[in-house]
Amino acid sequence: MANWFLDALTWKSFTIYFLLSVVLLLVILGYVTYAIYFERKVIGWMQSRHGPNRVGPLGLLQTVADVAKLLMKEDTIPKKAERQLFILAPIIAFVPSFAVLATIPYTQNIYFADLNVGVLYYVALSGISTIGIILGGWASNNKYALLGGMRSAAQMISYEIPLVISVVGVIMLSGSMQLTTIVEGQSGGFWHWNFLPQIIGFGVFVVAAVSELNRTPFDLPEAESELVAGYHVEYSGFRFAFFMLAEYVYVFAIASLTTVLFLGGWHAPFPFLDFVPGIIWFLLKFSFIVFFLFWLRATFPRVRVDQLMGLGWKVLLPLALLNIIITAVFYEIFGR
């Protein structure tokens, strides 16, 4: 297997993949920069505020200025912190968030890796970020940071389970964990998209995904008013930026995954609109999901930790299991 890989990998193919990876990284960094800007503008609009409007025309350079400030700030490490783990934690949190994007198909021809276990690949890698968050809290040698890390671990592990189980129904419908195959099974109009037959799984997936992203109303790991910013309280400068970057890259990833699994991917909602390029439909669905996440943040208050855990174990998990049973019974009666 190793010999085959080395024979197939030429300098030309390596250079192409490397350049494409750099392009994707630049696209992601641009997305994160202006996702933060638009989030602040959208929330400001919803709450009758102006949002960023000073740095650059219409405030377009505000996030650029914020990022530059973070990169130029002094990099401080607490004296009694576990230095090696403290440095490693933001990297462990960020790298999987970028690596999961390799298997996302944006159109029929635009993707990096068409794995036959694409769903499993995403789930396996995204779970690694939890380790980075726990390490960040523990290595800081700070009780508030440790409490934030433990909260985050409990939350992410609890909601990872219904998130994964809610996708099982989609896998049963398509008969594959390959993301391109799942999208191809949703062609022919929006009535073929998975969110309709899998409406229970779709609801569970969305709620669990919001909690996995640590976003309002499930942002307890970063509850500033309660935990002094939680697990990253001792981080500053570019290490703090890595944690924030990982969070927004996961917003990109989860919005893309929702589009692929439930909303038809690059397929048009009506067959007569197939002349529109698939990447346009993908971006429109993707943008709607990101806007929905911004909308939630502007609308809902933060839930209590007992409400958070109760929702995950007592509501979402039984619903996800019920969705599998309903899908299995449907197949037994009507066939695939």
Side-chain angles (χ1 to χ4, degrees):
M1 182 68 181
N3 292 334
W4 172 87
F5 177 77
L6 291 174
D7 292 339
L9 183 64
T10 63
W11 280 108
K12 181 179 179 180
S13 60
F14 173 79
T15 303
I16 291 173
Y17 278 112
F18 177 77
L19 292 176
L20 288 175
S21 301
V22 172
V23 170
L24 179 61
L25 179 60
L26 293 176
V27 169
I28 296 300
L29 292 176
Y31 156 79
V32 170
T33 300
Y34 284 98
I36 296 172
Y37 167 79
F38 282 111
E39 179 172 18
R40 295 171 68 181
K41 293 295 280 189
V42 167
I43 294 176
W45 167 64
M46 290 182 174
Q47 298 177 346
S48 298
R49 296 184 288 105
H50 291 294
N53 62 353
R54 294 290 183 182
V55 184
L58 302 177
L60 284 170
L61 298 179
Q62 180 63 60
T63 308
V64 177
D66 293 339
V67 171
K69 179 189 72 173
L70 281 175
L71 295 179
M72 290 187 293
K73 286 186 70 173
E74 180 183 4
D75 176 33
T76 60
I77 299 178
K79 183 177 180 180
K80 295 186 178 181
E82 292 287 342
R83 186 179 180 87
Q84 289 78 13
L85 294 180
F86 186 87
I87 294 172
L88 191 61
I91 301 172
I92 296 176
F94 169 72
V95 171
S97 71
F98 184 69
V100 297
L101 301 178
T103 191
I104 300 291
Y106 305 100
T107 70
Q108 193 170 9
N109 300 313
I110 302 178
Y111 54 82
F112 280 85
D114 188 18
L115 303 179
N116 58 359
V117 288
V119 176
L120 185 61
Y121 171 87
Y122 182 98
V123 172
L125 280 187
S126 62
I128 297 176
S129 292
T130 307
I131 300 175
I133 291 175
I134 296 174
L135 281 180
W138 182 79
S140 297
N141 196 25
N142 179 301
K143 292 183 177 62
Y144 291 106
L146 179 61
L147 181 57
M150 291 299 101
R151 269 194 178 187
S152 181
Q155 175 177 334
M156 297 180 76
I157 293 172
S158 298
Y159 279 81
E160 187 88 21
I161 297 172
L163 181 76
V164 174
I165 296 177
S166 66
V167 180
V168 174
V170 173
I171 297 172
M172 294 170 68
L173 281 177
S174 60
S176 175
M177 287 195 290
Q178 193 170 7
L179 293 176
T180 52
T181 303
I182 292 174
V183 176
E184 289 297 344
Q186 302 176 72
S187 60
F190 75 89
W191 50 92
H192 294 292
W193 295 357
N194 287 332
F195 83 94
L196 288 174
Q198 290 291 305
I199 189 65
I200 298 177
F202 178 61
V204 172
F205 182 88
V206 170
V207 176
V210 173
S211 181
E212 276 288 293
L213 294 171
N214 292 335
R215 292 186 62 86
T216 307
F218 306 118
D219 59 336
L220 280 96
E222 302 169 14
E224 292 90 348
S225 59
E226 304 169 25
L227 299 173
V228 200
Y231 60 88
H232 50 59
V233 64
E234 296 289 356
Y235 283 88
S236 63
F238 73 96
R239 300 190 201 281
F240 173 81
F242 259 70
F243 279 119
M244 294 298 99
L245 182 61
E247 179 178 326
Y248 276 89
V249 173
Y250 269 125
V251 170
F252 182 100
I254 207 70
S256 300
L257 189 66
T258 307
T259 301
V260 167
L261 293 178
F262 294 99
L263 301 180
W266 58 82
H267 292 300
F270 299 99
F272 66 86
L273 294 174
D274 283 341
F275 66 91
V276 179
I279 189 65
I280 300 298
W281 291 118
F282 187 95
L283 290 175
L284 286 174
K285 299 169 188 177
F286 169 88
S287 300
F288 172 76
I289 297 168
V290 173
F291 174 80
F292 174 74
L293 294 174
F294 296 168
W295 189 4
L296 287 181
R297 183 173 180 181
T299 307
F300 286 99
R302 183 182 301 129
V303 300
R304 297 196 314 266
V305 65
D306 60 312
Q307 294 171 329
L308 173 81
M309 302 303 289
L311 177 65
W313 290 108
K314 297 178 182 178
V315 179
L316 295 186
L317 182 58
L319 284 177
L321 294 172
L322 177 64
N323 180 64
I324 296 177
I325 295 172
I326 292 174
T327 305
V329 170
F330 177 84
Y331 274 163
E332 184 66 26
I333 296 175
F334 300 102
R336 181 166 298 182

